[in-house]
Amino acid sequence: MKIHSMGVRAVIAMTLLLSLAASEEETAKGSVKFKGGNFTMSCPGLGKWYRRSAQVGDGEEHDSLELDYNSDTKGLYKCVYKDNGEDKEYYFYVKGKACANCIELEAAPLALAITVDMAGTIILMMIIYKCTKKKSSAGSTQASKAPARAGGRAPPVPSPDYEALNPHTRSQDPYAIVSRTG
């Protein structure tokens, strides 16, 4: 019975959290994005841009501002925009790492490339396995095997088929000499 009551409590808690999240007003959000040696700030609405109470940009209202990033441009910025007829301020603190020759790598394309590469490798391995697998037929063929000798025995030890090694024509290198022990 305790498991059932804990499950009910969990459902009630999740319902309460979801209803609170749905009832909250969605606040406008700005963002800062770095690309190469620049950064771009996006204001929630059309507004004027300021840095330390000094106006930045051309004085016109814009929804975004792009600047070169260096030690002089990092710091606190604000965007003053109108929302329902009243002035609102949105603050940005810009500090990051940027370089002109950097390449931005996003996770989704990288994961897709790795997944496609692995799938291609597995498919290629399966094709190679299927093509090189030995296909055994019902009847065995003797053509590929060497003919069996009569009696199934090797020739006698002092075989007349082989010539004895001549010690004068053999190399005297350390690994050319066969030493018999035991």
Side-chain angles (χ1 to χ4, degrees):
M1 194 67 170
K2 284 189 174 197
I3 295 174
H4 186 300
S5 65
M6 287 181 65
V8 170
R9 287 182 187 170
V11 168
I12 291 171
M14 288 301 294
T15 306
L16 180 65
L17 287 173
L18 288 174
S19 66
L20 286 175
S23 68
E24 285 185 23
E25 283 184 29
E26 187 172 315
T27 59
K29 293 192 176 186
S31 64
V32 177
K33 294 182 181 174
F34 286 86
K35 184 161 184 149
N38 302 329
F39 67 96
T40 303
M41 297 179 288
S42 298
C43 188
L46 288 175
K48 293 187 179 183
W49 295 89
Y50 296 92
R51 180 170 187 241
R52 297 187 193 132
S53 70
Q55 195 163 357
V56 181
D58 59 3
E60 299 289 322
E61 291 187 349
H62 298 285
D63 62 346
S64 64
L65 177 68
E66 183 173 341
L67 297 171
D68 291 333
Y69 184 76
N70 56 40
S71 60
D72 296 333
T73 57
K74 68 181 176 182
L76 187 64
Y77 290 85
K78 75 177 176 180
C79 168
V80 179
Y81 66 99
K82 293 213 183 273
D83 187 26
N84 296 331
E86 66 179 84
D87 284 345
K88 289 199 172 186
E89 296 179 346
Y90 195 89
Y91 288 90
F92 300 88
Y93 186 79
V94 177
K95 183 177 181 182
K97 293 185 178 182
C99 65
N101 297 328
C102 295
I103 297 173
E104 189 173 327
L105 185 63
E106 295 183 18
L110 180 64
L112 179 66
I114 290 172
T115 305
V116 168
D117 182 47
M118 288 180 64
T121 302
I122 290 170
I123 290 170
L124 183 65
M125 287 172 48
M126 289 172 48
I127 290 171
I128 291 172
Y129 176 76
K130 295 276 186 191
C131 291
T132 59
K133 191 165 73 169
K134 287 186 179 179
K135 298 184 186 209
S136 60
S137 60
S140 63
T141 59
Q142 294 289 334
S144 61
K145 293 183 180 179
R149 294 183 182 243
R153 301 177 106 191
V157 176
S159 173
D161 297 336
Y162 299 105
E163 183 179 340
L165 294 175
N166 185 353
H168 298 293
T169 59
R170 288 185 53 195
S171 172
Q172 297 300 321
D173 292 334
Y175 295 108
I177 299 171
V178 178
S179 56
R180 295 186 179 184
T181 57

